[in-house]
Amino acid sequence: MLIELAQGDITAETTDAIVNAANSSLLGGGGVDGAIHRRGGPEILAECRALRAGHYGRGLPTGKAVATTAGRLAARWVIHTVGPVYSATEDRSPLLRDCYVNSLAVADELGAETVAFPLISSGVYRWPVDDAVRQALTALRGADTRVQTTRLVLFDEKTRRVAEEVRSAGP
C-alpha cells in the first residue's frame, strides 16, 4: 500500500473515504470532526444519529470505526473513529493504532481503494505530533488491507515537516 503525506484540508480530499477523528457521541464536535460535519452537511449527522439509536447507543468505543455517507464531501464515505486521549502515565498507543487498522478494515468492507486520514488524537486529545505520526505509520505499514493508497492529511506546514522527519527516520 502506498502511504502519502500531504498538507491540507481533509474535507477537500477526493479519496474514496475520509476518516473522521470523531468523538464517541458521533454527533460532531470541534476540529476535524466539526469540519467534516459542517462541510459534509446534515446527511452525515442523520446517519450518525441512526447509529446512536442502534448499535452505538452508548457511543463508539475508542479505537473502533464505523462508516456513513460523506454527504456533500467529494469522498464517497466517512469512516468515523475515536482516538484515545493522550496519557503520560498509561500507554494508549495500541488504541491509537487500532483507529487506523479498524478504519482500513471498514474501508475494505466498503470496497474503498483510497483513504485519507487526519493525524488522529494529535489535536484536542493532545497526542504528541511526532509520536502520533510514528503510531500512524506503524499501523498503516503493518495493516492487512486491500486499500491501495492512504494519505495522511496534515493540517499545517509544521506538522507536515515533523511527519516527513519521522518518516525519514524510519520505523
Side-chain angles (χ1 to χ4, degrees):
M1 170 180 55
L2 177 63
I3 301 170
E4 301 173 340
L5 299 179
Q7 180 184 336
D9 176 356
I10 196 161
T11 67
E13 288 295 312
T14 58
T15 50
D16 294 331
I18 63 172
V19 175
N20 179 16
N23 63 53
S24 64
S25 77
L26 295 174
L27 302 179
V32 169
D33 194 19
I36 286 172
H37 276 270
R38 280 190 302 277
R39 189 155 180 191
E43 299 87 354
I44 297 172
L45 182 57
E47 285 195 25
C48 286
R49 283 187 174 139
L51 288 167
R52 286 298 307 272
H55 287 77
Y56 299 103
R58 294 184 178 176
L60 185 65
T62 301
K64 301 299 181 189
V66 65
T68 64
T69 181
R72 298 176 188 153
L73 298 172
R76 210 166 147 195
W77 301 285
V78 173
I79 300 171
H80 306 266
T81 189
V82 179
V85 173
Y86 178 74
S87 170
T89 60
E90 178 185 350
D91 181 12
R92 297 178 181 167
S93 54
L95 285 170
L96 183 54
R97 290 189 303 273
D98 283 348
C99 291
Y100 292 92
V101 172
N102 290 331
S103 293
L104 288 173
V106 170
D108 282 342
E109 291 170 13
L110 296 169
E113 295 180 357
T114 58
V115 180
F117 287 89
L119 190 57
I120 299 167
S121 289
S122 68
V124 68
Y125 288 0
R126 301 179 319 275
W127 206 283
V129 170
D130 60 335
D131 193 56
V133 171
R134 195 171 296 107
Q135 299 302 326
L137 293 176
T138 297
L140 294 172
R141 287 174 179 148
D144 180 17
T145 182
R146 291 184 304 280
V147 171
Q148 296 174 9
T149 304
T150 57
R151 183 174 302 126
L152 195 55
V153 181
L154 307 156
F155 184 71
D156 58 22
E157 175 67 19
K158 180 180 176 185
T159 305
R160 188 193 60 74
R161 277 196 313 264
V162 170
E164 292 286 355
E165 289 170 11
V166 170
R167 182 167 69 175
S168 294

